[in-house]
Amino acid sequence: MNAQQPFDFQCDVIEQSHDIPVLVDFWAEVCAPCHMLTPVLEKLALESEGRWKLVKINTDDHPDIASTCHVRGIPTVQLFIKGEVTGEFSGAIPEQRIREWLKQSLPGLYDKEITLAAELVEQGKPAMAVSLLEGVLHKEADNLLARALLVRLRLFVQPEEALRLSASLESEPQYAALAETVRVLARLCMISKETLPDDGVRDDYFAAVEELKQQHFDAALAGFIEVIVQNRSYDDDGSRKACIAIFRYLGEADEVTRKYRKLFDRSF
């Protein structure tokens, strides 16, 4: 941004960032790395097709703005969303790293649809949520957030499909636990009583599995914990694995998790 051009930081950055993410490039004429970085940012801004806006601020012309934004060195890039700095980096880093940073830092194109899907689940409308998420994945197949939510919705209805969908989540650190949970619970949802080892606890174990299939988590946990007490090793330690997977699926703050976590811990 040159001094000759009219520029209002409050209007051009803060206020605009409430409508569209604004990427601010703090640079100076004498800064060689700045001249390497700026063309890359301009290229990426063009590629974004209006998804975010690039604003360039010459720190020599606007030292007050640089000071207010706590810019310690140049080049510095800050991302403004809803009037706040939500991410930043310094230095002329490689283009691929900037692309990765933008992917992690920018709101997703379909975040609103995913948020609505989550709200529909809370309202007891899973079919509508599934339709919305499938639409998102049709337009953006690598949307991990939509895929993760869809996996949870498919798990007890179509466990085979949930397994297929979760395969791509295994290598993602933030979704690795979900993928493992799906592997455990989907397997249980697909087993038949005849395939289980012959043992005195088989009926109790399969009864817990049936409760799990119906998403009666309270009864399922009670059943699995009883099997642990009687024969922990049954079905390759299946009851212990099932309990841990259910706790993960529900979350540590869930009432059912809190109720059975202590019972589970005392069962060994």
Side-chain angles (χ1 to χ4, degrees):
M1 185 70 65
N2 296 322
Q4 293 80 7
Q5 295 177 302
F7 176 63
D8 184 331
F9 183 77
Q10 180 65 30
C11 176
D12 295 335
V13 175
I14 301 300
E15 292 180 12
Q16 279 224 17
S17 72
H18 287 273
D19 299 321
I20 182 175
V22 177
L23 198 71
V24 179
D25 174 20
F26 291 96
W27 69 288
E29 195 67 49
V30 297
C31 168
C34 296
H35 292 288
M36 297 171 58
L37 178 64
T38 297
V40 176
L41 297 177
E42 291 173 340
K43 171 188 173 183
L44 295 176
L46 282 174
E47 288 181 7
S48 77
E49 298 180 337
R51 184 180 172 189
W52 50 274
K53 176 185 176 181
L54 175 64
V55 171
K56 294 175 285 186
I57 298 179
N58 188 321
T59 56
D60 291 333
D61 295 335
H62 301 283
D64 53 334
I65 296 176
S67 177
T68 299
C69 293
H70 306 290
V71 174
R72 304 302 181 206
I74 51 173
T76 288
V77 174
Q78 294 182 345
L79 178 65
F80 286 78
I81 298 177
K82 305 289 185 190
E84 302 289 338
V85 177
T86 61
E88 67 178 283
F89 68 84
S90 299
I93 65 177
E95 180 178 329
Q96 185 55 40
R97 282 182 57 193
I98 298 174
R99 288 182 182 276
E100 293 170 359
W101 180 81
L102 286 170
K103 184 177 180 179
Q104 295 174 359
S105 303
L106 288 169
L109 286 172
Y110 305 105
D111 280 3
K112 290 182 180 179
E113 287 93 332
I114 297 172
T115 298
L116 177 56
E119 292 173 355
L120 288 169
V121 173
E122 291 295 322
Q123 296 167 14
K125 302 174 182 177
M128 294 177 66
V130 166
S131 178
L132 200 55
L133 293 169
E134 288 179 339
V136 169
L137 289 173
H138 179 73
K139 292 177 285 189
E140 190 175 68
D142 63 347
N143 190 306
L144 298 179
L145 186 57
R147 184 174 292 268
L149 183 52
L150 185 58
V151 163
R152 291 178 63 87
L153 291 171
R154 287 295 194 204
L155 178 54
F156 299 103
V157 181
Q158 295 178 304
E160 300 95 336
E161 177 68 3
L163 274 175
R164 185 189 69 80
L165 288 169
S166 67
S168 61
L169 300 177
E170 295 177 0
S171 60
E172 303 294 333
Q174 67 270 43
Y175 295 114
L178 174 61
E180 173 61 24
T181 297
V182 170
R183 278 197 299 271
V184 173
L185 298 183
R187 169 188 169 270
L188 291 171
C189 289
M190 292 187 291
I191 64 174
S192 63
K193 188 174 181 179
E194 293 72 25
T195 62
L196 290 171
D198 187 14
D199 188 277
V201 299
R202 182 170 70 171
D203 288 347
D204 291 339
Y205 183 77
F206 192 70
V209 169
E210 288 294 292
E211 296 289 2
L212 174 66
K213 291 178 182 178
Q214 299 301 315
Q215 300 180 61
H216 299 158
F217 300 115
D218 195 301
L221 284 165
F224 285 127
I225 290 172
E226 181 58 31
V227 172
I228 291 173
V229 172
Q230 296 180 54
N231 183 357
R232 171 181 166 175
S233 64
Y234 185 73
D235 190 30
D236 190 26
D237 207 15
S239 290
R240 184 189 65 83
K241 294 175 182 176
C243 289
I244 292 173
I246 294 172
F247 293 149
R248 283 178 175 172
Y249 180 82
L250 296 176
E252 292 299 325
D254 187 86
E255 181 181 345
V256 173
T257 298
R258 294 200 308 269
K259 177 181 178 181
Y260 284 95
R261 173 64 82 172
K262 290 182 180 179
L263 291 173
F264 172 76
D265 292 339
R266 289 201 300 264
S267 66
F268 297 98

